[in-house]
Amino acid sequence: MRLRDIELRIVRMPLRSPFRTSFGVETEKVALLVRVRGDLRGPGGDRVETGGWGECVAMEEPLYSAEYVAGAVQVTRDFLAPRLFAAGDAVTAERVGPLLAGVVGHRMAKAAVEMAVLDAELRARGVPLAEHLGAVRDRVPSGVSVGIQPSVPELLDVVAGYLDEGYVRIKLKIAPGWVLEPVRAVRERWGDDLLLQVDANAAFTLADAPLLQRLDELGLLLIEQPLAEDDLVQHAELARMLRTPVCLDESVVSARAAADAIRLGAARVINVKPGRVGGYLEARRVHDVAVANGVAVWCGGMLETGLGRAANAALAALPGFTLPGDVSASSRFYETDLTRPFVLEDGHVAVPTGPGLGVEPVPELLAEWTSWRQVLSPDGPVGG
Ligand code: NPQ
Ligand code: MG
């Protein structure tokens, strides 16, 4: 396709309740949305106009990863968009990665642009994203990520609420000082059949191995990202000291990183987040590498709006996604979602069936929640 313009929007959405992790507390979701418009040659040779949506999962501050919203805006405006406009007619979702490869890193920014181009192409062709990616399911089992709570009784109340709603798997956020007591309390209250796992968001070091070994008796599905993002070798060392499978999130920034982690013995499970690895096409390659090595994957979450949630549901429907992911209902984080809401039905989220993402922002909500916008064109920024 040929891109006519790229609109960037920062939207701010209230969270239903604060979400505390080992790296901070979030009370509001800030998302950078990318809207591309352009045209492509239709089946009859005529030019067909199309448009697509992308969502950048970078947070406002660089606490989970090095990327952050203002940086993503700047790199998109100054380095990514110009490369795509310069490619003229030759822009396809498959080509976005190669066209942007000269820019080092900034995977979340690149992922959002690729997602928008992919959505635009698929909408023009009438193909759902799930079908394009190779999905084999029409709904995906839904897990929920539970933030660090002020006390164990409050944690038990929050978990009870999610189980009543039907979530099929519970993930507890852990941090120094919030490990054994909360996890043991949840295990004792609901018994051995509860699918339970923990996520440390890189809060520990190898010196904490004796503490983490005590989780072994609690029958967890996995422990996610116990050590630092760039600590693959130490993750491998820790994995040898634990019976609980080590799952990597932050460390897996590409299919190559996934292959390295598997080879080193640093990951028996991988959390796939499309933004973190540079897009849905690279996410599928992470899936393929894992499947080829007998490693289970599941789809992570970044508090996406309905746009990213739709795409994550499509990805999670691929055959190698054998563990329930963090693709929750919209109501997990939002009173009102930007798109039609994703709901929990029998513990599952339905994979959208419409062309492309299969969902779009509700215009009034998009207008209400947009705090900043700028339109980029081949001649440079327009207004803003
Ligand atoms: C994780 N997500 O798996 C992340 C971390 C995370 C669902 O646990 C705003 C935007 C706040 C993205 C907080 C879940 C966030 C965020 C935590 C991502 O590690
Ligand atoms: Mg994580």
Side-chain angles (χ1 to χ4, degrees):
M1 66 185 289
R2 185 173 55 86
L3 292 178
R4 199 167 55 238
D5 57 47
I6 302 175
E7 180 191 55
L8 303 180
R9 280 179 186 263
I10 295 175
V11 296
R12 296 173 174 274
M13 295 165 61
L15 293 182
R16 284 181 65 183
S17 56
F19 186 44
R20 180 183 291 276
T21 66
S22 64
F23 58 78
V25 194
E26 305 295 315
T27 56
E28 180 189 53
K29 166 68 181 182
V30 183
L32 171 64
L33 302 186
V34 178
R35 163 87 173 147
V36 301
R37 291 193 308 160
D39 50 72
L40 43 70
R41 205 170 297 289
D46 49 323
R47 308 282 324 172
V48 178
E49 303 224 333
T50 187
W53 289 98
E55 177 172 344
C56 180
V57 299
M59 299 174 65
E60 189 163 36
E61 299 176 288
L63 306 180
Y64 164 85
S65 74
E67 291 187 76
Y68 60 101
V69 171
V73 166
Q74 193 176 40
V75 79
T76 303
R77 179 213 291 143
D78 295 343
F79 303 105
L80 306 185
R83 282 168 167 77
L84 298 180
F85 289 132
D89 231 346
V91 177
T92 65
E94 291 285 347
R95 291 283 305 150
V96 167
L99 285 168
L100 303 181
V103 176
V104 176
H106 297 281
R107 292 178 172 93
M108 292 176 178
K110 292 174 178 176
V113 170
E114 183 198 81
M115 178 179 166
V117 172
L118 183 55
D119 183 37
E121 272 180 11
L122 295 176
R123 282 183 203 265
R125 287 170 39 208
V127 176
L129 177 61
E131 179 184 326
H132 177 74
L133 292 175
V136 295
R137 282 181 277 273
D138 57 12
R139 57 179 208 159
V140 297
S142 184
V144 62
S145 177
V146 182
I148 294 166
Q149 303 297 314
S151 70
V152 168
E154 283 163 277
L155 173 67
L156 295 178
D157 284 350
V158 169
V159 171
Y162 290 134
L163 292 175
D164 284 347
E165 286 184 58
Y167 286 105
V168 303
R169 185 228 67 191
I170 297 293
K171 160 168 137 181
L172 302 180
K173 291 292 191 178
I174 59 171
W178 186 257
V179 182
L180 292 178
E181 207 199 335
V183 180
R184 193 177 286 135
V186 170
R187 178 55 88 206
E188 282 173 4
R189 164 95 179 258
W190 283 283
D192 291 342
D193 289 346
L194 175 70
L195 300 184
L196 182 63
Q197 63 193 51
V198 296
D199 185 1
N201 286 113
F204 296 97
T205 72
L206 207 45
D208 297 306
L211 167 68
L212 301 176
Q213 279 174 322
R214 298 184 60 189
L215 288 169
D216 277 346
E217 66 197 58
L218 294 174
L220 301 178
L221 285 168
L222 56 89
I223 178 172
E224 180 179 346
Q225 198 70 37
L227 311 179
E229 176 179 324
D230 57 0
D231 252 356
L232 277 191
V233 169
Q234 293 193 47
H235 272 109
E237 202 159 319
L238 178 65
R240 286 191 287 273
M241 303 169 72
L242 300 180
R243 270 182 290 128
T244 308
V246 170
C247 168
L248 292 183
D249 172 359
E250 285 90 328
S251 295
V252 180
V253 298
S254 63
R256 178 157 51 209
D260 288 353
I262 293 167
R263 166 79 82 92
L264 276 168
R268 272 168 60 190
V269 181
I270 291 174
N271 166 342
V272 182
K273 284 181 182 166
R276 201 192 56 221
V277 302
Y280 284 85
L281 303 179
E282 182 75 356
R284 182 170 56 183
R285 292 189 279 271
V286 174
H287 161 275
D288 295 347
V289 163
V291 168
N293 286 278
V295 163
V297 301
W298 54 279
C299 186
M302 292 291 285
L303 284 56
E304 288 87 350
T305 75
L307 298 171
R309 200 166 296 277
N312 286 349
L315 180 71
L318 267 61
F321 285 77
T322 53
L323 291 169
D326 282 346
V327 184
S328 306
S330 299
S331 63
R332 160 65 185 88
F333 293 109
Y334 305 108
E335 200 73 51
T336 309
D337 204 337
L338 185 63
T339 64
R340 66 162 173 84
F342 283 78
V343 297
L344 213 56
E345 290 170 61
D346 188 26
H348 290 67
V349 166
V351 177
T353 54
L357 298 176
V359 298
E360 48 284 311
V362 175
E364 300 76 43
L365 295 175
L366 182 64
E368 181 184 338
W369 289 335
T370 297
S371 61
W372 175 91
R373 74 184 274 272
Q374 185 166 50
V375 180
L376 312 175
S377 79
D379 309 315
V382 181

mmCIF file of all heavy atoms in Angstrom, residues 50-78:
data_model
loop_
_atom_site.group_PDB
_atom_site.id
_atom_site.type_symbol
_atom_site.label_atom_id
_atom_site.label_comp_id
_atom_site.label_asym_id
_atom_site.label_seq_id
_atom_site.Cartn_x
_atom_site.Cartn_y
_atom_site.Cartn_z
ATOM 1 N N THR A 50 -7.940 2.570 2.223
ATOM 2 C CA THR A 50 -8.060 1.748 3.429
ATOM 3 C C THR A 50 -7.434 2.478 4.608
ATOM 4 O O THR A 50 -6.722 3.475 4.442
ATOM 5 C CB THR A 50 -7.409 0.359 3.223
ATOM 6 O OG1 THR A 50 -7.690 -0.457 4.368
ATOM 7 C CG2 THR A 50 -5.904 0.475 3.035
ATOM 8 N N GLY A 51 -7.737 1.974 5.796
ATOM 9 C CA GLY A 51 -7.176 2.556 7.005
ATOM 10 C C GLY A 51 -7.036 1.485 8.065
ATOM 11 O O GLY A 51 -7.717 0.462 8.014
ATOM 12 N N GLY A 52 -6.126 1.702 9.008
ATOM 13 C CA GLY A 52 -5.928 0.697 10.057
ATOM 14 C C GLY A 52 -5.456 1.325 11.353
ATOM 15 O O GLY A 52 -4.932 2.447 11.369
ATOM 16 N N TRP A 53 -5.666 0.571 12.421
ATOM 17 C CA TRP A 53 -5.306 1.029 13.777
ATOM 18 C C TRP A 53 -4.162 0.213 14.370
ATOM 19 O O TRP A 53 -4.142 -1.012 14.247
ATOM 20 C CB TRP A 53 -6.509 0.884 14.709
ATOM 21 C CG TRP A 53 -7.603 1.864 14.439
ATOM 22 C CD1 TRP A 53 -8.737 1.652 13.714
ATOM 23 C CD2 TRP A 53 -7.660 3.226 14.892
ATOM 24 N NE1 TRP A 53 -9.506 2.793 13.690
ATOM 25 C CE2 TRP A 53 -8.870 3.781 14.403
ATOM 26 C CE3 TRP A 53 -6.813 4.035 15.660
ATOM 27 C CZ2 TRP A 53 -9.250 5.099 14.656
ATOM 28 C CZ3 TRP A 53 -7.192 5.346 15.915
ATOM 29 C CH2 TRP A 53 -8.399 5.866 15.415
ATOM 30 N N GLY A 54 -3.268 0.925 15.039
ATOM 31 C CA GLY A 54 -2.217 0.263 15.815
ATOM 32 C C GLY A 54 -2.221 0.819 17.224
ATOM 33 O O GLY A 54 -2.669 1.951 17.447
ATOM 34 N N GLU A 55 -1.743 0.029 18.167
ATOM 35 C CA GLU A 55 -1.652 0.488 19.562
ATOM 36 C C GLU A 55 -0.251 0.235 20.077
ATOM 37 O O GLU A 55 0.249 -0.891 19.998
ATOM 38 C CB GLU A 55 -2.683 -0.261 20.433
ATOM 39 C CG GLU A 55 -2.587 0.113 21.910
ATOM 40 C CD GLU A 55 -3.721 -0.463 22.748
ATOM 41 O OE1 GLU A 55 -4.752 -0.899 22.178
ATOM 42 O OE2 GLU A 55 -3.565 -0.473 23.983
ATOM 43 N N CYS A 56 0.372 1.280 20.583
ATOM 44 C CA CYS A 56 1.724 1.143 21.148
ATOM 45 C C CYS A 56 1.609 0.862 22.638
ATOM 46 O O CYS A 56 0.932 1.600 23.360
ATOM 47 C CB CYS A 56 2.525 2.423 20.909
ATOM 48 S SG CYS A 56 4.195 2.344 21.581
ATOM 49 N N VAL A 57 2.274 -0.203 23.106
ATOM 50 C CA VAL A 57 2.123 -0.608 24.512
ATOM 51 C C VAL A 57 3.137 0.033 25.450
ATOM 52 O O VAL A 57 3.163 -0.277 26.639
ATOM 53 C CB VAL A 57 2.177 -2.149 24.680
ATOM 54 C CG1 VAL A 57 1.042 -2.822 23.895
ATOM 55 C CG2 VAL A 57 3.540 -2.703 24.270
ATOM 56 N N ALA A 58 3.965 0.944 24.920
ATOM 57 C CA ALA A 58 4.907 1.633 25.810
ATOM 58 C C ALA A 58 4.129 2.365 26.899
ATOM 59 O O ALA A 58 3.068 2.924 26.649
ATOM 60 C CB ALA A 58 5.754 2.622 25.020
ATOM 61 N N MET A 59 4.674 2.359 28.105
ATOM 62 C CA MET A 59 4.050 3.084 29.211
ATOM 63 C C MET A 59 4.506 4.537 29.179
ATOM 64 O O MET A 59 5.425 4.907 28.452
ATOM 65 C CB MET A 59 4.451 2.438 30.545
ATOM 66 C CG MET A 59 3.994 0.986 30.657
ATOM 67 S SD MET A 59 4.607 0.201 32.147
ATOM 68 C CE MET A 59 3.768 1.156 33.390
ATOM 69 N N GLU A 60 3.853 5.364 29.992
ATOM 70 C CA GLU A 60 4.230 6.776 29.998
ATOM 71 C C GLU A 60 5.660 6.955 30.518
ATOM 72 O O GLU A 60 6.373 7.856 30.082
ATOM 73 C CB GLU A 60 3.249 7.579 30.860
ATOM 74 C CG GLU A 60 3.455 9.073 30.720
ATOM 75 C CD GLU A 60 2.259 9.868 31.216
ATOM 76 O OE1 GLU A 60 1.628 9.447 32.202
ATOM 77 O OE2 GLU A 60 1.974 10.920 30.610
ATOM 78 N N GLU A 61 6.074 6.091 31.443
ATOM 79 C CA GLU A 61 7.427 6.182 32.002
ATOM 80 C C GLU A 61 8.177 4.885 31.699
ATOM 81 O O GLU A 61 7.582 3.823 31.623
ATOM 82 C CB GLU A 61 7.354 6.373 33.524
ATOM 83 C CG GLU A 61 6.635 7.642 33.927
ATOM 84 C CD GLU A 61 6.504 7.750 35.447
ATOM 85 O OE1 GLU A 61 5.709 6.989 36.022
ATOM 86 O OE2 GLU A 61 7.222 8.571 36.034
ATOM 87 N N PRO A 62 9.502 4.956 31.576
ATOM 88 C CA PRO A 62 10.283 3.752 31.229
ATOM 89 C C PRO A 62 10.556 2.870 32.451
ATOM 90 O O PRO A 62 11.680 2.742 32.892
ATOM 91 C CB PRO A 62 11.568 4.341 30.639
ATOM 92 C CG PRO A 62 11.720 5.662 31.300
ATOM 93 C CD PRO A 62 10.340 6.171 31.584
ATOM 94 N N LEU A 63 9.506 2.244 32.987
ATOM 95 C CA LEU A 63 9.627 1.437 34.207
ATOM 96 C C LEU A 63 9.577 -0.059 33.922
ATOM 97 O O LEU A 63 10.222 -0.849 34.595
ATOM 98 C CB LEU A 63 8.506 1.802 35.187
ATOM 99 C CG LEU A 63 8.403 3.292 35.535
ATOM 100 C CD1 LEU A 63 7.256 3.535 36.500
ATOM 101 C CD2 LEU A 63 9.726 3.799 36.123
ATOM 102 N N TYR A 64 8.775 -0.457 32.934
ATOM 103 C CA TYR A 64 8.697 -1.877 32.548
ATOM 104 C C TYR A 64 9.752 -2.165 31.490
ATOM 105 O O TYR A 64 10.396 -3.208 31.502
ATOM 106 C CB TYR A 64 7.294 -2.196 32.031
ATOM 107 C CG TYR A 64 7.200 -3.495 31.262
ATOM 108 C CD1 TYR A 64 7.016 -4.714 31.924
ATOM 109 C CD2 TYR A 64 7.317 -3.508 29.876
ATOM 110 C CE1 TYR A 64 6.950 -5.899 31.215
ATOM 111 C CE2 TYR A 64 7.251 -4.689 29.158
ATOM 112 C CZ TYR A 64 7.071 -5.889 29.835
ATOM 113 O OH TYR A 64 7.017 -7.048 29.112
ATOM 114 N N SER A 65 9.920 -1.217 30.557
ATOM 115 C CA SER A 65 10.931 -1.357 29.513
ATOM 116 C C SER A 65 11.521 0.022 29.242
ATOM 117 O O SER A 65 11.019 1.031 29.749
ATOM 118 C CB SER A 65 10.312 -1.904 28.234
ATOM 119 O OG SER A 65 9.552 -0.895 27.600
ATOM 120 N N ALA A 66 12.572 0.053 28.412
ATOM 121 C CA ALA A 66 13.242 1.329 28.123
ATOM 122 C C ALA A 66 12.340 2.283 27.355
ATOM 123 O O ALA A 66 12.534 3.497 27.400
ATOM 124 C CB ALA A 66 14.525 1.069 27.332
ATOM 125 N N GLU A 67 11.350 1.747 26.633
ATOM 126 C CA GLU A 67 10.508 2.624 25.828
ATOM 127 C C GLU A 67 9.472 3.342 26.681
ATOM 128 O O GLU A 67 9.072 2.858 27.738
ATOM 129 C CB GLU A 67 9.815 1.819 24.718
ATOM 130 C CG GLU A 67 10.803 1.347 23.670
ATOM 131 C CD GLU A 67 10.124 0.695 22.479
ATOM 132 O OE1 GLU A 67 9.565 1.436 21.646
ATOM 133 O OE2 GLU A 67 10.141 -0.551 22.408
ATOM 134 N N TYR A 68 9.044 4.516 26.205
ATOM 135 C CA TYR A 68 8.017 5.290 26.891
ATOM 136 C C TYR A 68 7.291 6.130 25.853
ATOM 137 O O TYR A 68 7.792 6.315 24.735
ATOM 138 C CB TYR A 68 8.610 6.133 28.022
ATOM 139 C CG TYR A 68 9.647 7.124 27.582
ATOM 140 C CD1 TYR A 68 9.327 8.470 27.430
ATOM 141 C CD2 TYR A 68 10.943 6.717 27.296
ATOM 142 C CE1 TYR A 68 10.272 9.382 27.025
ATOM 143 C CE2 TYR A 68 11.895 7.627 26.874
ATOM 144 C CZ TYR A 68 11.562 8.959 26.750
ATOM 145 O OH TYR A 68 12.489 9.859 26.335
ATOM 146 N N VAL A 69 6.097 6.598 26.201
ATOM 147 C CA VAL A 69 5.194 7.197 25.216
ATOM 148 C C VAL A 69 5.839 8.350 24.444
ATOM 149 O O VAL A 69 5.801 8.379 23.210
ATOM 150 C CB VAL A 69 3.871 7.666 25.887
ATOM 151 C CG1 VAL A 69 3.033 8.471 24.917
ATOM 152 C CG2 VAL A 69 3.088 6.449 26.386
ATOM 153 N N ALA A 70 6.425 9.299 25.157
ATOM 154 C CA ALA A 70 6.976 10.469 24.451
ATOM 155 C C ALA A 70 8.106 10.056 23.512
ATOM 156 O O ALA A 70 8.269 10.630 22.428
ATOM 157 C CB ALA A 70 7.459 11.514 25.457
ATOM 158 N N GLY A 71 8.881 9.059 23.922
ATOM 159 C CA GLY A 71 9.948 8.561 23.055
ATOM 160 C C GLY A 71 9.386 7.867 21.823
ATOM 161 O O GLY A 71 9.926 8.003 20.716
ATOM 162 N N ALA A 72 8.301 7.143 22.022
ATOM 163 C CA ALA A 72 7.673 6.437 20.890
ATOM 164 C C ALA A 72 7.096 7.442 19.893
ATOM 165 O O ALA A 72 7.185 7.255 18.677
ATOM 166 C CB ALA A 72 6.578 5.499 21.408
ATOM 167 N N VAL A 73 6.516 8.513 20.406
ATOM 168 C CA VAL A 73 5.997 9.570 19.520
ATOM 169 C C VAL A 73 7.155 10.144 18.705
ATOM 170 O O VAL A 73 7.074 10.276 17.482
ATOM 171 C CB VAL A 73 5.318 10.700 20.344
ATOM 172 C CG1 VAL A 73 5.082 11.943 19.478
ATOM 173 C CG2 VAL A 73 4.010 10.204 20.942
ATOM 174 N N GLN A 74 8.238 10.470 19.385
ATOM 175 C CA GLN A 74 9.347 11.134 18.699
ATOM 176 C C GLN A 74 10.016 10.235 17.665
ATOM 177 O O GLN A 74 10.304 10.658 16.546
ATOM 178 C CB GLN A 74 10.374 11.605 19.721
ATOM 179 C CG GLN A 74 11.362 12.562 19.102
ATOM 180 C CD GLN A 74 12.329 13.123 20.124
ATOM 181 O OE1 GLN A 74 12.787 12.394 21.011
ATOM 182 N NE2 GLN A 74 12.628 14.393 20.023
ATOM 183 N N VAL A 75 10.239 8.962 18.028
ATOM 184 C CA VAL A 75 10.919 8.078 17.072
ATOM 185 C C VAL A 75 10.006 7.777 15.892
ATOM 186 O O VAL A 75 10.472 7.637 14.758
ATOM 187 C CB VAL A 75 11.448 6.794 17.762
ATOM 188 C CG1 VAL A 75 10.344 5.764 17.983
ATOM 189 C CG2 VAL A 75 12.590 6.191 16.970
ATOM 190 N N THR A 76 8.704 7.718 16.143
ATOM 191 C CA THR A 76 7.773 7.461 15.033
ATOM 192 C C THR A 76 7.756 8.660 14.085
ATOM 193 O O THR A 76 7.874 8.508 12.864
ATOM 194 C CB THR A 76 6.345 7.191 15.571
ATOM 195 O OG1 THR A 76 6.411 6.094 16.480
ATOM 196 C CG2 THR A 76 5.394 6.848 14.433
ATOM 197 N N ARG A 77 7.651 9.843 14.655
ATOM 198 C CA ARG A 77 7.569 11.052 13.837
ATOM 199 C C ARG A 77 8.878 11.301 13.063
ATOM 200 O O ARG A 77 8.857 11.575 11.859
ATOM 201 C CB ARG A 77 7.269 12.240 14.745
ATOM 202 C CG ARG A 77 7.175 13.571 14.014
ATOM 203 C CD ARG A 77 7.665 14.691 14.899
ATOM 204 N NE ARG A 77 6.759 14.935 16.015
ATOM 205 C CZ ARG A 77 7.173 15.264 17.237
ATOM 206 N NH1 ARG A 77 8.459 15.332 17.518
ATOM 207 N NH2 ARG A 77 6.305 15.489 18.189
ATOM 208 N N ASP A 78 10.010 11.158 13.739
ATOM 209 C CA ASP A 78 11.273 11.593 13.132
ATOM 210 C C ASP A 78 12.005 10.502 12.346
ATOM 211 O O ASP A 78 12.795 10.810 11.461
ATOM 212 C CB ASP A 78 12.214 12.138 14.214
ATOM 213 C CG ASP A 78 11.661 13.400 14.862
ATOM 214 O OD1 ASP A 78 10.739 14.014 14.266
ATOM 215 O OD2 ASP A 78 12.120 13.762 15.961
#
